[in-house]
Amino acid sequence: MDYISVLLYLVLPILGLGYYYTRQLYSYWSARGIPQLEASFPVGNMKDVGRKVHFNDVMKVAYDMGKSLGKPFVGLYFMLKPVLILTDLDMVKRVLVKDFNSFHDRGLYVNERDDPLSGHLFAIDGERWRYLRNKLSPTFTSGKIKQMFVTIREIGDEFLGSVTKYVERDEPIDIKLLCQCFTCDVVGSCAFGLQCNSLKNEGSKLLTIGDEVFKPPAWRNMYTFLLISFQELARKLRLRALPSSVSDYFVGLVSDTVAHREKNLIERPDFLNMLIQLKNKGTVEGDTPASGTDSAHDKLTLDEVSAQAFVFFFAGFETSSTTLSFALYELANNPDIQEKVREEIIGKLQLHDNQITYEALKEMTYLDQIINETLRMYPPVPQLIRVATKPYPVETVNMTLEKDCMLMIPIYSIHHDPNIYPNPQQFDPDRFTPEAVHARHTNAFIPFGDGPRNCIGMRFGLLEVKFGIVQMLSKLRFTVSSRMQMPLKLSKSALILEAEGGIWLNGTKL
């Protein structure tokens, strides 16, 4: 009888309070008059993410709800954390551009004490982000990128040779793997002076490490949501955002490379050289420090150098290879478009002694349309995160977003909105003629984000992709292999968009 009394007087009230608390927590948005997706304790709306659905699918449900109700945003829950999904392009523009100072942070998990690589430019916030962004931006000027073009062209010859081997043997081509090898070698050389030799070996240690970062098991996606939702607790528990195998390898690689350069007084016009200057001097050669700044205080530590090198390397090679491989797939799947762009490519190359030059690439405008349509259909980073840095009034719905409110911009959903892009699953480069672009909202196409916190390496990545397509189509014709899983389905767990079963093409020489 005593046990029954304990159950009645202690356990049941605790369960009742827990139920009441959960109901209150998961009505955070509806209590504020904002439509929301129904959530389940304790995972919120993340229940099937990575297993049955991709996170894009959850975002699309929220996006469609907002559009149907005419609301600028819809609420959902990362575990126990309330998050707003933006569904109105004017609101997107306010967050990314017009009112950037109210939304300049991403709110990602950073724990530099236990996980030095987490303190990179993509994740850090506040004044540290502003400082680093200003210091690193000169790396990506047109002049610096043009200097790197010689290296891209040299590695491009190896890329063509690697693909041609399969063509000559009449074997299916794992185009995503070879694109990864190409962009890994390009970024490794242009950024760090490393000879990755991924194309020669059809793989490398860096590619293996990349798979750990971008193709995590499903449980790791949930772990990432937990870190974002409970950041203070995670830091107290000294949790890491990245697997220790990734951190240990990459920190060691950067440390050894920096030590070798400093010992032998080696200087190269690359990204790592600028980071070394920031480590030793607090400024980049030719850059004038702002008056009143303490250059000693502004110097980067070796861990900070490693973190910036990490994000540039892995984000740079994986996003570019994703875009390049999907573009080649769509061209193989649409032979008329492939022939049309090949005609442009060969015509422009003839004006430049049949050489792939920086100037020749700039003249290929239809190719630009093809790359943009690929980025529309397959944006490598399918959503953006921003956090309100102060209370922010939204007059259209008569409410104020609280400080630290997290917002997500569903790039994939916007790019596949049939009201913006009719028949969005069809590959149609004519969506990006100057007239068509001018007729749309400026934030209807944001594969690189927008505003001051857009992708810092955008021009470099586009150059890689453009060169890779020209190198392939000027020599080879592609069709879809019977080994390819059709219709194409996207992986439910990969952080960067990826085709299930890979992208397999057949090639023939022109």
Side-chain angles (χ1 to χ4, degrees), residues 329-488:
Y329 160 74
E330 287 294 347
L331 290 170
N333 203 37
N334 295 273
D336 292 346
I337 296 174
Q338 183 181 164
E339 291 306 318
K340 182 176 178 180
V341 73
R342 180 178 291 109
E343 184 178 327
E344 177 187 67
I345 288 169
I346 292 174
K348 296 300 182 185
L349 292 183
Q350 287 174 347
L351 300 176
H352 294 269
D353 298 322
N354 291 315
Q355 298 295 312
I356 306 177
T357 65
Y358 187 80
E359 290 72 23
L361 292 182
K362 287 181 70 174
E363 296 171 9
M364 297 178 189
T365 54
Y366 187 62
L367 179 55
D368 288 333
Q369 292 176 215
I370 281 169
I371 294 171
N372 283 340
E373 176 67 346
T374 303
L375 288 166
R376 180 195 69 79
M377 291 185 69
Y378 310 101
V381 180
Q383 59 269 326
L384 298 175
I385 299 178
R386 292 290 187 270
V387 171
T389 54
K390 54 189 174 185
Y392 182 83
V394 185
E395 300 83 2
T396 54
V397 289
N398 193 29
M399 71 161 292
T400 297
L401 302 181
E402 296 177 5
K403 185 178 183 293
D404 296 327
C405 174
M406 180 172 282
L407 306 98
M408 297 197 75
I409 297 164
I411 296 175
Y412 188 88
S413 299
I414 293 170
H415 286 189
H416 288 79
D417 185 337
N419 293 313
I420 303 173
Y421 300 100
N423 197 6
Q425 301 306 322
Q426 179 182 333
F427 185 77
D428 181 9
D430 287 340
R431 300 183 203 271
F432 289 92
T433 62
E435 299 77 17
V437 171
H438 183 72
R440 284 193 298 269
H441 193 287
T442 53
N443 284 103
F445 178 66
I446 45 173
F448 299 101
D450 197 6
R453 200 153 186 172
N454 68 346
C455 175
I456 191 172
M458 174 179 67
R459 284 186 291 185
F460 180 81
L462 287 173
L463 182 65
E464 272 187 288
V465 172
K466 205 167 185 181
F467 179 90
I469 294 173
V470 171
Q471 182 76 301
M472 293 295 105
L473 294 193
S474 62
K475 303 293 183 183
L476 302 169
R477 179 175 284 107
F478 292 97
T479 55
V480 178
S481 168
S482 59
R483 186 167 176 176
M484 179 93 187
Q485 292 183 21
M486 297 292 282
L488 181 147

Side-chain angles (χ1 to χ4, degrees), residues 99-305:
D99 296 323
F100 173 77
N101 287 334
S102 298
F103 300 99
H104 53 70
D105 290 351
R106 285 203 169 103
L108 300 179
Y109 179 68
V110 176
N111 178 8
E112 294 175 271
R113 176 186 60 180
D114 306 297
D115 189 4
L117 295 189
S118 68
H120 53 72
L121 186 66
F122 189 83
I124 59 174
D125 291 326
E127 288 306 312
R128 288 193 63 225
W129 167 77
R130 291 181 191 276
Y131 164 75
L132 270 177
R133 175 80 184 210
N134 288 336
K135 290 298 183 183
L136 298 179
S137 290
T139 316
F140 301 99
T141 60
S142 297
K144 291 282 176 61
I145 291 173
K146 198 171 181 180
Q147 288 178 6
M148 300 174 188
F149 187 71
V150 175
T151 302
I152 295 177
R153 195 158 58 184
E154 290 172 356
I155 296 171
D157 291 337
E158 293 182 31
F159 182 34
L160 179 61
S162 296
V163 174
T164 302
K165 282 191 302 185
Y166 289 89
V167 173
E168 291 173 343
R169 296 197 298 255
D170 197 24
E171 294 177 1
I173 305 159
D174 184 350
I175 203 68
K176 177 60 191 293
L177 172 62
L178 294 183
C179 288
Q180 281 182 314
C181 292
F182 167 61
T183 57
C184 179
D185 286 356
V186 166
V187 176
S189 182
C190 290
F192 312 114
L194 296 175
Q195 300 300 312
C196 299
N197 294 319
S198 304
L199 282 165
K200 290 180 180 177
N201 303 320
E202 292 203 2
S204 66
K205 177 64 175 178
L206 281 167
L207 284 179
T208 303
I209 293 292
D211 283 346
E212 290 190 56
V213 175
F214 294 110
K215 301 175 187 176
W219 68 266
R220 194 154 193 98
N221 288 330
M222 200 62 67
Y223 173 74
T224 300
F225 293 139
L226 276 170
L227 293 180
I228 293 174
S229 301
F230 304 102
Q231 297 194 30
E232 291 303 320
L233 176 62
R235 275 188 281 269
K236 287 178 181 177
L237 295 174
R238 309 193 71 160
L239 300 180
R240 304 166 65 111
L242 293 163
S244 57
S245 56
V246 173
S247 297
D248 294 346
Y249 176 80
F250 202 80
V251 169
L253 175 66
V254 173
S255 299
D256 291 346
T257 306
V258 169
H260 175 72
R261 288 197 184 190
E262 292 182 336
K263 179 181 178 181
N264 296 284
L265 303 177
I266 296 171
E267 290 201 8
R268 285 173 52 100
D270 60 16
F271 185 63
L272 185 60
N273 198 65
M274 292 184 70
L275 292 176
I276 292 172
Q277 290 178 6
L278 289 173
K279 180 179 82 75
N280 296 333
K281 305 175 186 176
T283 186
V284 175
E285 191 173 313
D287 180 27
T288 304
S291 60
T293 58
D294 180 355
S295 62
H297 175 74
D298 286 338
K299 289 179 182 177
L300 298 188
T301 65
L302 187 58
D303 280 345
E304 289 173 322
V305 168

Side-chain angles (χ1 to χ4, degrees), residues 7-8 10-23:
L7 179 67
L8 290 174
L10 291 178
V11 178
L12 289 180
I14 290 172
L15 290 175
L17 285 172
Y19 176 77
Y20 175 76
Y21 171 75
T22 302
R23 293 285 294 179

Side-chain angles (χ1 to χ4, degrees), residues 16-147:
L17 285 172
Y19 176 77
Y20 175 76
Y21 171 75
T22 302
R23 293 285 294 179
Q24 290 294 106
L25 185 73
Y26 286 147
S27 61
Y28 178 90
W29 294 121
S30 58
R32 288 159 174 77
I34 295 171
Q36 66 170 51
L37 303 187
E38 290 302 311
S40 305
F41 182 81
V43 293
N45 296 107
M46 305 297 111
K47 181 179 178 182
D48 296 319
V49 171
R51 298 182 299 109
K52 296 180 180 179
V53 297
H54 193 277
F55 185 51
N56 287 338
D57 300 320
V58 178
M59 299 278 278
K60 187 176 187 308
V61 173
Y63 179 82
D64 289 346
M65 176 188 285
K67 300 302 284 187
S68 65
L69 296 174
K71 299 292 185 180
F73 28 61
V74 168
L76 54 74
Y77 300 87
F78 269 10
M79 316 297 283
L80 304 178
K81 186 177 181 63
V83 180
L84 270 187
I85 309 303
L86 303 190
T87 63
D88 175 72
L89 295 185
D90 288 333
M91 189 67 195
V92 170
K93 191 171 189 68
R94 287 172 65 173
V95 169
L96 295 181
V97 185
K98 291 182 177 178
D99 296 323
F100 173 77
N101 287 334
S102 298
F103 300 99
H104 53 70
D105 290 351
R106 285 203 169 103
L108 300 179
Y109 179 68
V110 176
N111 178 8
E112 294 175 271
R113 176 186 60 180
D114 306 297
D115 189 4
L117 295 189
S118 68
H120 53 72
L121 186 66
F122 189 83
I124 59 174
D125 291 326
E127 288 306 312
R128 288 193 63 225
W129 167 77
R130 291 181 191 276
Y131 164 75
L132 270 177
R133 175 80 184 210
N134 288 336
K135 290 298 183 183
L136 298 179
S137 290
T139 316
F140 301 99
T141 60
S142 297
K144 291 282 176 61
I145 291 173
K146 198 171 181 180
Q147 288 178 6

